[in-house]
Amino acid sequence: MLFDYAETSPWFSHLFLFPHPFVMYFLRQTVDGTGRTITSPNYPNNYPSNQRCSWIIQALNPEATLEVECDDFDVTDCKDRMVIKENRKVMATFCGTGKQSYKSTGNRIVIKFRTNGSNTGKGFSCTVRIPESTVTSSTTDTCQCGVANPSRIVGGQEVDPKNKYPWQVGIMYNGGSNYWCGGSVINNKYILTAAHCVKGDDASSLVVGVADHDMSSTTDDVPGVTDLKSVEQIIIHYGYGSNGYDYDIALLKLKETLDLSQYEQIRPVCLPADDSQTYEGVMAIASGWGTLYSGGPQPSTLNEVSVPILAPSCPGMSGITANMLCAGLQEGGKDTCQGDSGGPLFVEENTKYTQVGITSWGFGCAGENSPGVYARVSKFLPWIISNTADATYCQ
């Protein structure tokens, strides 16, 4: 499976010290050797002069390397050139004509293409992939994302069987008894949740419940698996708080690394691969321990509900930004509610589940023409990856 993301926003270019727009891709290992193709501007026609282009390409597996193959390369004037960097050090410079190739020493490269000359060439088409030799890593053989365990939510039902969605977690205060927000396992060290759930809290005051189903009972706990994990660090998106519920996303770094391959009750959810996907019309699942109706009782067991994802404009709703998505029925009756915040909204893609939203806000619960609003996960992929660089992602 290929995991990629294109990013051109100014804040991210400042973060990585690029003064001009660039594209960022994240790659997962693929047995069939597929990869990401990058091309020069206007390819296969001649590229324009005075261009500055950059691509940041990173393998999600920190042990992987990258391979660049340029089967078509025509940069005749060597005033124009392609440069490949690792750790800010120039590792290769290409110009002229003919095939070019490069093999990295690490899991991240930066490719820059600069044109100065007036005599431009056809340019290039290059494929970046993870070599097959690195696909045999034990983490990719035994650790998979988005794999469910098959056989506040309003209008939903109790999750059956328990631990069906092994990425689901609950957040509570240390010494507490109820989950007041949800979250999801995305790798072996971090939980994805909503910023408004943890804003103003100290990491030491929080615990995360993993592999749990009935939060009021221990009789259904999985021995050695169901547990409350301590939180080492809270990372809130820097954009949160300046514009209502925009940028409502946060990460919780756990003190203890999760074993994502030994127990089926703890697995990560997959992250979306394509930011151009709106998922409009797709049925999604939301899960949590939230109240059964606005101001109502909180169930002790994990509930789930299926709702359709609406158009990006979210007709009839105000305060919607590009960082959000809406899901719900026009007639109401099914929705997330108080206590479900921070939990995942996920869809099935190629037999695996991908998290597309984080439960964020809404006007009441399950009202007519009043869908739930979720943080759109695909908009935050660079932020997520850059803040979880010390973690291992499953394939």
Side-chain angles (χ1 to χ4, degrees), residues 189-203:
K189 292 185 179 182
Y190 291 86
I191 303 300
L192 189 64
T193 188
H196 79 264
C197 284
V198 293
K199 181 75 170 179
D201 289 320
D202 292 326

Side-chain angles (χ1 to χ4, degrees), residues 320-363:
I320 304 300
T321 75
N323 297 320
M324 304 174 186
L325 66 80
C326 295
L329 300 171
Q330 183 176 1
E331 65 272 21
K334 292 187 175 184
D335 197 4
T336 48
C337 207
Q338 293 93 5
D340 289 319
S341 290
L345 179 77
F346 46 97
V347 300
E348 188 173 6
E349 292 184 310
N350 300 320
T351 73
K352 290 188 175 186
Y353 287 97
T354 297
Q355 183 172 350
V356 297
I358 303 169
T359 303
S360 181
W361 64 279
F363 298 113

Side-chain angles (χ1 to χ4, degrees), residues 282-294:
V282 176
M283 291 300 295
I285 298 170
S287 52
W289 287 272
T291 59
L292 299 176
Y293 54 86
S294 186

